[in-house]
Amino acid sequence: MSVAQVASSGSSASESAAEPEFLEGSEAIARAMISAGCRFFAGYPMTPFTEVLEAMAKHLPAQGGSCVNAESELEAVGMAWGAAATGTPAATGSTGQGLSLMQESLAEITYARLPLVVLNMARAQGDYFQATRGGGHGDYRHIVLAPKDVTEAVYLVQEAFHLAAIWRNPVLVMGDYYIAHTWQSVSTARIDFGPEPDRSWALDGATGGTGKAKLISPIADTKRGDDVGYDLAEFYGRRGAELDVMGREVQPRAETGFLEGADLVVVAYGTVAQYVREAVANLRADGAKVGYIRPITLYPFPTEVLRNAASSAKAFAVYENNRGQMIEDVMLSVMERADVRFIGGLSVDSSGFGIAPDLDVTSVRARIQTTLEEIS
Amino acid sequence: MTTRSLPIIESTSAPTQAAKLVDDFTPGLINQGAHHLCPGCGEPIAMRLIMEAVEELELAQKTIAIFGIGCYTAYSNNLDVEVLQALHGRAPSLATGVKRSLPDSLVLTVQGDGDMVNEGLQEVLHTMARGESVTCFLLNNGVFGETGGHMTAATVLGQRTKNSLEGRTAQEHGYPIVISDLIARLDGAAYVARGAVNTHTNVARTKKMVKEALAVQTAGLGGSFVEILTMCPTGWFVDTLDAPDYLNDNIEPIHRFGVVLDRSDDSRHHGAGR
Ligand SMILES: Cc1ncc(C[n+]2csc(CCOP(=O)(O)OP(=O)(O)O)c2C)c(N)n1
Ligand code: SF4
Ligand SMILES: [Mg+2]
């Protein structure tokens, strides 16, 4: 089926043909979520998240799901929490500020061991710490995925539902203005990630009155009836150990390029990395010894990939559209085996969330070139 | 303040047997009857009557109860209905997510006045305004009991709390929110009532309200809400035995007992969601 045919047949999310369709990123992400099984979504408008919410409101009811226009991000995450507790594949999201409002719940949802997909259609890249350190209280972690474009977003959003279900843990997908608004030819058909995990933990009311009614709580999974009750020290210890296992067993992922013989390795994630990769490719073509690493999982961070590169590279340059956040993870990975420099910086237009003026291959190339001269 | 000790039963002869437990009644759907809340606390009575109503309406196997954070949280792991523990203030939005996902379930929330009227006021207002088919219970004791007796938005004028030591005044602390009356103004609400557990007649009348509210949910008529005035002798700094009268004399004149709104006869009124 050609793109033109798809457009004229007015295909809906339910059809989600395997053939690519020409879609705006937000629409593609929404369709991918529905293909992945998402049946509950709640959100509150904020650019560039708004269009994902609009698309979910449009498509989800026809699939028997619910999309609720929440009163605020506090309620949006609460509603998604409730839906997730019933075993319904659920998602919410926002943009940095909205995610800030949700943090208390995101922390507790993690302790309560619930699967949830959260989108941060971020403005620039200032939310790296919020995403990877957890903006909320306590000892917890979320799996964080950072696509570079619409095609990868469609894949990772679907994988996020799978990872969330497997680990019973929130999974955060980082998008941005570019991913939300770029039109691209992309397939949003369901991707099979293997068998669906057990959902027998989910609430449906049926165990009431049996003497063994279920409890889903961020402070306990034991009840007074088992002569245990609340033991927060025990519970947090056990939950923390489960999170450690998740951090060890989720496969960290990165895209690499031109690492062979590279003296300088440039590290970037998300949309920004596409510009970096192009600049690195140009420099390589001109004979410069420069390579590239793009973390795809921000947590767990692809430490090994960076560490291996550090055994031969002299230096690392980190390009982020912020004042330097991921650079801390790069430093922790490289551990003084090589020099680590920051070559990024916040770049936003007057709206604060649109096109970044510095995101331009020539200007990125110039910064890398300067670093190459400094280290030679 | 008067102090009153437990009444002494006159006796002329020493007991012939050691004291023994003659009755150990644990209400159905409550796992362990003995509780760790203060003597004279009204919350266990409120929990019991809510659970008895669920049981008598044969709804136990459809029920999901969502708890806020306060002294009543002692019951979230002590019930034989399914429970989802929420954050302080956030139970109604979780209830919305549960009900939208499981439209045939019976969804109820348990919150205190600190939880509902302070921390999460917009949650309950919007949930009831939308007409979400859930039942929200407020255990109103006019204080943050759990933190040790602090003023809430529902604390009545004149009441002494740890942060209104000489009594709440409008000038210094502002006016209280009379929440049931506020909720009754919302189009989505189908049933709003205020009961109390300070006397056995009030307990019986409140249980009827609870049943009515649950029936409104089952019929899909819209949001249902029951406020239950509970005693908190500890947070009120009054003697345990004085607490029921204290409720009657100080709290009930502001938060009046009775059915505030009843649209259960209006079959055209219906709840949000599927
Ligand atoms: C975000 C947040 N702020 C504060 C608290 C501390 N806290 C725990 S219980 C409580 C008050 C509970 O009051 P209420 O809901 O009236 O219940 P009661 O103890 O009176 O039954 C507070 C403030 C908390 N748990 N979470
Ligand atoms: S502090 Fe008040 S509400 Fe809490 S258990 Fe004691 S009497 Fe009950
Ligand atoms: Mg209270």
Side-chain angles (χ1 to χ4, degrees), chain B residues 37-38 41 43 71 141 145 232-234:
Chain B
L37 301 189
C38 306
C41 178
E43 292 185 351
C71 289
N141 54 16
C232 176
T234 311

Side-chain angles (χ1 to χ4, degrees), chain B residues 43 69-72 111-115 138-146 150 152 154 230 232 236:
Chain B
E43 292 185 351
I69 302 279
C71 289
Y72 42 84
Q111 297 176 272
D113 49 321
D115 190 283
L138 164 62
L139 310 189
N140 185 3
N141 54 16
V143 280
F144 292 138
E146 162 97 31
H150 301 100
T152 73
T230 58
C232 176
W236 295 345

Side-chain angles (χ1 to χ4, degrees), chain A residues 280-325:
Chain A
V280 168
N282 289 350
L283 283 161
R284 264 286 172 173
D286 294 346
K289 290 182 170 175
V290 56
Y292 151 91
I293 298 178
R294 175 174 69 92
I296 297 171
T297 52
L298 302 184
Y299 182 83
F301 196 70
T303 304
E304 284 300 315
V305 178
L306 276 95
R307 194 166 291 164
N308 291 339
S311 60
S312 52
K314 282 193 216 158
F316 285 72
V318 182
Y319 195 110
E320 301 173 69
N321 189 356
N322 60 36
R323 298 187 58 77
Q325 300 187 16

Side-chain angles (χ1 to χ4, degrees), chain B residues 94-112:
Chain B
L94 275 69
T96 301
V98 170
K99 187 71 181 192
R100 295 276 176 137
S101 301
L102 298 172
D104 294 333
S105 59
L106 183 90
V107 178
L108 62 91
T109 63
V110 179
Q111 297 176 272

Side-chain angles (χ1 to χ4, degrees), chain A residues 10-98:
Chain A
S11 93
S12 74
S14 56
E15 289 149 29
S16 286
E19 294 298 315
E21 295 176 69
F22 190 54
L23 299 171
E24 193 176 24
S26 313
E27 172 80 20
I29 287 172
R31 291 188 186 204
M33 288 199 284
I34 295 171
S35 292
C38 179
R39 290 298 176 270
F40 187 89
F41 194 79
Y44 186 91
M46 183 167 182
T47 305
F49 164 76
T50 310
E51 290 79 358
V52 179
L53 175 60
E54 288 172 2
M56 291 305 274
K58 184 170 161 205
H59 299 305
L60 204 45
Q63 304 305 314
S66 280
C67 178
V68 189
N69 300 301
E71 300 82 54
S72 84
E73 291 83 351
L74 292 173
E75 280 83 0
V77 70
M79 292 171 187
W81 177 349
T86 68
T88 303
T92 183
S94 185
T95 297
Q97 286 85 337

